[in-house]
Amino acid sequence: MIDGPTSLSYIRFVNGPYRGAVLRVPGSVDQGPAAALTLPIAWGDTADPGHGEVRYKRDAEATDEGLWLYRLDGDFREDARPHIALPAESDQAGA
């Protein structure tokens, strides 16, 4: 939850399973986007993967271009990959 005025910021993941991804996220006008993010990962066979999470921490300041950099906070499986899934069509409202 963000208190006070908000603005959209661009963030980029420097390493780990989400390395290279750039997202536009809301954040505090005074403090920027969240100081840490926890994101889902999967590994192993794509038909029956293992699941878990990785945590990223934000650098203290944005780059000169206004991009906030997030670095992995802790270890992760070498074979981990991002795991962002949408609900099945039957689970969506109005379906």
Side-chain angles (χ1 to χ4, degrees), residues 63-81:
T63 65
D64 291 342
E65 296 82 26
L67 187 66
W68 292 90
L69 302 179
Y70 282 76
R71 298 176 194 281
L72 201 59
D73 181 25
D75 296 330
F76 72 101
R77 291 178 57 110
E78 289 298 321
D79 61 341
R81 62 186 177 277

Side-chain angles (χ1 to χ4, degrees), residues 9-84:
S9 301
Y10 284 97
I11 68 171
R12 182 173 57 120
F13 298 97
V14 175
N15 57 359
Y18 285 84
R19 179 183 64 241
V22 175
L23 301 174
R24 191 171 180 200
V25 299
S28 166
V29 168
D30 298 328
Q31 299 175 5
L37 296 171
T38 301
L39 300 169
I41 58 171
W43 59 83
D45 187 340
T46 57
D48 186 24
H51 295 93
E53 296 176 331
V54 291
R55 183 173 170 86
Y56 283 88
K57 288 178 91 172
R58 187 191 78 200
D59 285 357
E61 300 291 329
T63 65
D64 291 342
E65 296 82 26
L67 187 66
W68 292 90
L69 302 179
Y70 282 76
R71 298 176 194 281
L72 201 59
D73 181 25
D75 296 330
F76 72 101
R77 291 178 57 110
E78 289 298 321
D79 61 341
R81 62 186 177 277
H83 180 69
I84 299 175

